[in-house]
Amino acid sequence: MNAAATTAPTAPGQVIVIGAGIVGVSCALYLQRDGHSVTLLDPRGAGNGASFGNAGNLGWASCVPAAMPGVLKKVPQMLFDSNGPLKLHWGHVPAAAGWFARFIAAARPSRIEEIADARQALLSRLHEGYAPLIEDAGAEELIDYSGLLMTWESDEAFAGSQYALDIRRRRGVAMEVLDGNEARQMEPALTPSVKHAVHFPRLAHVTDPGRLTETLARHFERRGGRFLREAARGFEMGPNGPVAVKTDSGRHAADRFVVAAGVWSKTLARQLGTSTPIEAERGYHTVFTDPGISLRAAIMSADRYIAVTQMDMGVRATGVAEFAHPDQPADMRYAEMVQRRAMDFLPGLRAESRTQWMGPRPSHPDSLPVIGRSPRFANVVFAYGHDHIGLALGGISGRLVADIVAGRPSLVDLTPYRPDRF
Ligand SMILES: Cc1cc2nc3c(=O)[nH]c(=O)nc-3n(C[C@H](O)[C@H](O)[C@H](O)COP(=O)(O)OP(=O)(O)OC[C@H]3O[C@@H](n4cnc5c(N)ncnc54)[C@H](O)[C@@H]3O)c2cc1C
């Protein structure tokens, strides 16, 4: 098959978006705003993958990549401590080995700075990406602007985080350094053992991430978009690329295709001739639905590897990175581990009434998503691999995908996110 043409189609046409997580739904809405006739495919409905149960942070301060020198030093301890946050099943080691080799390669200082720049280029536009979608759908009440507090319980851990804080500072992220008492004045629910904290005043969070995705998807349908609860199984190929998506129920023809199926994009991209090293970094949550406390800001405990957020349905604690097949059954012992950590961290939390969940973060080893035209087919655009920041980046990813399809100049330089970089 021929290489991707350099000129993009510009006239509105028929577009199929595969995957109705926050990324796919945002793509569908932006494409619809450009006048395309859009079909969204997802067997599970909207917002039921990773986009359902995440920590909700619109992490403007999340430019620091996962592969950092400090993290690499801690990996063995994190892996072998049964209460550690990192889980890798022996059976999954061969599948994940290549990923970890690339992860280690991404921890070079020069590469860390490049990755942080590329993450920040997207994160700094997150509100610009969401504003038109959220306003149009009337979903403003799902965004809470109460800031984020990051905490440390030892001088040593705080000292070890200075490089990561400096990476943020150098990219203009506003922050205020607090001691433990100042942190507890801001958030009285914190354990007395918090010694240091950093407050990020400009950070917002979504108070029900699943509902945000669903609200946007309903808005897409109200505006005439077609949403089919079907799984893409493969593509029917024409001389210049795909001409239809095959599902269990039949075939759906279109002239452009967007693959935005989170971690499951790996198989679909491969069918279209592009291999991408995505792994499922499965995270867990416990929602305390009758928590006994209410939080004033979103919180991240650097020592306990958990995020705790006040949501509409209660207080949600999230954590754990379990490398496993995304469809393998969840191991809810990890949700219980997150629960115990949250209860030690916020002693007033009540756990009598709670829910648990697991969802797969779609993670590339270089902590960057793929956002770009398929290297092989000019009528295919990829948008996947948003790891820990996909909720934050949904809106802006949708905007960038619509610009690619329309052939408009991009708001940001897309080179760092190109699909063939691996
Ligand atoms: C515990 C946890 C905490 C997190 N916290 C945050 C946070 O605070 N802030 C943040 O920004 N991000 C956070 N994230 C990351 C964020 O949730 C993800 O990056 C984001 O949800 C990815 O969105 P997505 O649309 O790419 O994928 P998903 O939400 O996983 O959606 C993919 C969709 O594709 C569908 N699909 C799969 N295969 C097919 C197929 N063949 N045909 C059709 N459809 C298909 C699936 O059913 C699914 O609905 C967190 C993640 C976890 C797990």
Side-chain angles (χ1 to χ4, degrees), residues 25-40 130-138 214-227 402:
V25 169
S26 301
C27 291
L29 274 169
Y30 267 110
L31 289 161
Q32 187 182 53
R33 290 164 70 90
D34 276 351
H36 298 286
S37 167
V38 184
T39 300
L40 191 49
Y130 272 126
L133 308 188
I134 287 180
E135 255 170 58
D136 245 28
E214 210 183 325
T215 303
L216 295 178
R218 295 293 80 83
H219 186 61
F220 162 77
E221 285 186 290
R222 271 200 305 278
R223 290 182 49 146
R226 193 162 70 128
F227 190 154

Side-chain angles (χ1 to χ4, degrees), residues 147-414:
L148 179 120
L149 203 55
M150 194 175 277
T151 67
W152 290 262
E153 292 167 50
S154 77
D155 297 335
E156 192 194 351
F158 186 54
S161 294
Q162 292 311 306
Y163 176 35
L165 290 172
D166 185 49
I167 286 177
R168 295 176 171 99
R169 235 179 243 119
R170 283 188 279 112
R171 285 165 183 81
V173 176
M175 64 179 88
E176 190 189 356
V177 178
L178 308 174
D179 64 25
N181 289 332
E182 289 166 330
R184 273 180 295 279
Q185 265 168 29
M186 194 169 274
E187 180 48 79
L190 291 176
T191 167
S193 54
V194 166
K195 290 181 86 173
H196 304 277
V198 170
H199 180 228
F200 298 97
R202 289 183 52 191
L203 257 81
H205 72 268
V206 178
T207 57
D208 188 339
R211 188 143 68 87
L212 174 66
T213 311
E214 210 183 325
T215 303
L216 295 178
R218 295 293 80 83
H219 186 61
F220 162 77
E221 285 186 290
R222 271 200 305 278
R223 290 182 49 146
R226 193 162 70 128
F227 190 154
L228 303 177
R229 285 183 172 250
E230 296 175 31
R233 298 287 179 213
F235 299 89
E236 194 179 300
M237 303 305 287
N240 297 312
V243 293
V245 174
K246 294 189 267 188
T247 72
D248 291 336
S249 313
R251 71 184 279 285
H252 302 288
D255 36 39
R256 295 132 209 212
F257 301 85
V258 176
V259 177
V263 72
W264 296 276
S265 302
K266 186 175 186 165
T267 314
L268 296 161
R270 194 187 303 125
Q271 288 173 348
L272 292 167
T274 295
S275 87
T276 197
I278 289 195
E279 277 291 315
E281 237 190 280
R282 305 188 337 161
Y284 286 79
H285 86 208
T286 291
V287 175
F288 300 82
T289 50
D290 182 16
I293 57 170
S294 125
L295 301 178
R296 296 183 187 171
I299 317 174
M300 275 187 189
S301 163
D303 322 69
R304 298 174 193 262
Y305 307 105
I306 53 168
V308 195
T309 321
Q310 181 69 52
M311 299 243 163
D312 291 342
M313 76 300 286
V315 169
R316 176 178 290 176
T318 63
V320 177
E322 180 197 27
F323 287 81
H325 191 282
D327 299 322
Q328 187 179 309
D331 184 343
M332 287 307 174
R333 285 175 308 171
Y334 301 146
E336 275 146 34
M337 189 178 96
V338 168
Q339 175 192 321
R340 285 193 303 277
R341 283 173 180 245
M343 293 179 76
D344 288 345
F345 181 54
L346 305 171
L349 263 182
R350 285 208 314 250
E352 288 79 15
S353 167
R354 61 187 192 274
T355 60
Q356 299 175 327
W357 171 87
M358 178 282 288
R361 301 179 191 90
S363 296
H364 284 127
D366 62 0
S367 297
L368 291 174
V370 157
I371 303 172
R373 196 182 290 279
S374 150
R376 298 203 56 192
F377 304 116
N379 66 340
V380 174
V381 179
F382 295 132
Y384 50 70
H386 292 69
D387 64 64
H388 295 236
I389 53 173
L391 178 69
L393 298 186
I396 187 62
S397 300
R399 165 73 196 268
L400 295 173
V401 165
D403 287 346
I404 294 168
V405 170
R408 282 190 293 267
S410 186
L411 280 179
V412 295
D413 173 12
L414 293 175

Side-chain angles (χ1 to χ4, degrees), residues 21-23 42 44 50-51 54-57 232 359 387-392:
I22 191 63
V23 176
D42 197 315
R44 301 207 279 171
S51 301
N54 55 59
N57 290 310
D387 64 64
H388 295 236
I389 53 173
L391 178 69

Side-chain angles (χ1 to χ4, degrees), residues 59-65 112-126 167-174 202-203 367-369 389 393 396 412 416-417:
W60 195 68
S62 301
C63 57
V64 179
I112 288 171
E113 295 294 332
E114 285 169 8
I115 295 170
D117 283 340
R119 281 167 74 89
Q120 193 62 15
L122 299 176
L123 288 164
S124 62
R125 292 185 179 270
L126 80 90
I167 286 177
R168 295 176 171 99
R169 235 179 243 119
R170 283 188 279 112
R171 285 165 183 81
V173 176
R202 289 183 52 191
L203 257 81
S367 297
L368 291 174
I389 53 173
L393 298 186
I396 187 62
V412 295
Y417 326 108

